[in-house]
């Protein structure tokens, strides 16, 4: 009887291990990337083998849950393990890059480019008004701050939207809203409207971006922009 019980336990344990092995693993780990002098290899679990980019000598790279990004002084490539494809944009020499689940962001001194995984395409900006000073990325949007401008990628319009003559002190980014502020004013890009929204003379100190709401804190008040109603309200801090 003990032998039967022990054998049954071993069978159940083996079945449990087999079930775990069959269960799809979460995409929480980063893509595995291997780089040598002239070759880039991405471990693609969907293919069961590496996907290889030949004759490419990268000067930098990034990895995330689904995307691998490599670049040099001539071009930039992104690989998506969901589509098993390499996609490039030529004539672009990134200084660095950022990744989220759906976007890849790279920038030069005076231009910025984004790769959209849902669209399978790169969108390169025109020459920006001034040098880039900061970069932001979320699941749905990307943005850069310049010396005197705020530039946001609109994934619906598939264009870079520029608000010039604005000295950005700081900025925050969500999936539907982007906000930048200086000593006096706050500037919001509302993806639901595809428009800029300005709040002047409020002396912002900090901002919090939620999916459809921006809360802007001054020394004595909180200003709230609701992207569902497109209205402002404020209250004592």
């Amino acid at each position: 009887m003990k032998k039967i019980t022990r054998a049954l336990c071993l069978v159940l344990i083996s079945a449990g291990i087999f079930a775990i092995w069959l269960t799809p693993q979460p995409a929480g780990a980063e893509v595995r990337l291997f780089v040598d002098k002239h070759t880039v290899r991405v471990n693609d679990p969907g293919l069961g083998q590496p996907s290889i980019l030949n004759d490419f000598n990268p000067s930098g790279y990034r990895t995330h849950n689904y995307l691998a990004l490599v670049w040099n002084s001539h071009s930039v490539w992104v690989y998506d393990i969901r589509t098993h494809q390499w996609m490039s944009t030529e004539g672009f020499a990134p200084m660095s890059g950022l990744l989220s689940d759906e976007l890849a962001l790279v920038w030069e001194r005076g231009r910025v480019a984004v790769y959209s995984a849902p669209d399978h395409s790169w969108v390169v900006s025109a020459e920006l008004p001034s040098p880039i000073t900061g970069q932001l990325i979320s699941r749905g949007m990307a943005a850069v701050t310049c010396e005197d401008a705020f530039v946001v990628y609109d994934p619906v319009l598939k264009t870079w939207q520029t608000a010039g003559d604005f000295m950005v002190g700081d900025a925050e980014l969500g999936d539907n809203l982007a906000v930048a502020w200086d000593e006096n004013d706050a500037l919001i890009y509302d993806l639901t409207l595809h428009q800029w929204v300005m709040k002047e003379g409020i002396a912002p100190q900090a901002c919090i971006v939620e999916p459809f709401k921006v809360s802007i804190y001054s020394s004595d008040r909180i200003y709230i922009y609701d992207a569902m109603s497109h209205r402002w309200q404020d209250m004592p801090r």
Side-chain angles (χ1 to χ4, degrees):
M1 184 67 179
K2 290 182 178 179
K3 289 183 179 180
I4 295 174
T5 302
R6 184 179 179 185
L8 181 60
C9 288
L10 289 173
V11 170
L12 291 173
I13 291 170
S14 299
I17 293 172
F18 185 66
I20 292 171
W21 180 74
L22 286 178
T23 302
Q25 298 301 305
E30 292 186 346
V31 172
R32 296 175 63 192
L33 181 70
F34 305 91
V35 176
D36 59 31
K37 190 172 182 181
H38 296 292
T39 307
V40 179
R41 293 177 174 86
V42 173
N43 183 35
D44 189 328
L47 291 179
Q49 63 184 23
S51 181
I52 301 173
L53 179 64
N54 287 312
D55 300 322
F56 188 82
N57 183 13
S59 59
Y61 62 89
R62 291 282 187 273
T63 60
H64 195 56
N65 291 339
Y66 306 105
L67 301 173
L69 179 71
V70 293
W71 65 86
N72 60 18
S73 60
H74 305 292
S75 61
V76 54
W77 290 79
V78 65
Y79 185 81
D80 191 336
I81 64 172
R82 293 165 294 190
T83 60
H84 318 295
Q85 289 183 327
W86 288 98
M87 299 291 291
S88 72
T89 183
E90 303 291 333
F92 197 93
M95 299 172 65
S96 192
L98 293 172
L99 293 171
S100 67
D101 284 351
E102 302 296 342
L103 301 174
L105 176 69
V106 291
W107 60 92
E108 299 174 324
R109 179 174 172 81
R111 287 192 305 166
V112 61
V114 67
Y115 173 77
S116 169
D119 300 323
H120 312 298
S121 63
W122 284 94
V123 179
V124 182
S125 74
E127 194 72 21
L128 300 179
S130 56
I132 294 171
T133 57
Q135 309 82 27
L136 304 97
I137 194 169
S138 68
R139 182 177 58 183
M141 298 178 74
V144 294
T145 59
C146 300
E147 290 180 355
D148 61 356
F150 189 37
V151 186
V152 176
Y153 176 68
D154 186 318
V156 179
L157 300 180
K158 300 177 180 57
T159 58
W160 287 96
Q161 303 292 317
T162 301
D165 298 322
F166 190 82
M167 304 296 292
V168 178
D170 208 344
E172 292 287 344
L173 187 67
D175 288 339
N176 302 291
L177 296 161
V179 58
W181 62 97
D182 61 14
E183 295 181 354
N184 300 307
D185 310 320
L187 180 64
I188 295 171
Y189 188 80
D190 185 341
L191 191 59
T192 69
L193 291 173
H194 311 291
Q195 292 179 0
W196 295 100
V197 180
M198 175 78 81
K199 191 68 170 177
E200 298 180 311
I202 60 174
Q205 295 182 341
C207 293
I208 296 175
V209 181
E210 299 177 59
F212 291 96
K213 184 172 74 173
V214 175
S215 299
I216 304 170
Y217 294 80
S218 70
S219 60
D220 58 352
R221 301 197 70 78
I222 303 172
Y223 300 87
I224 299 172
Y225 175 75
D226 185 344
M228 302 302 291
S229 64
H230 312 301
R231 294 181 178 179
W232 288 92
Q233 60 175 314
D234 62 275
M235 63 188 71
R237 184 170 179 176

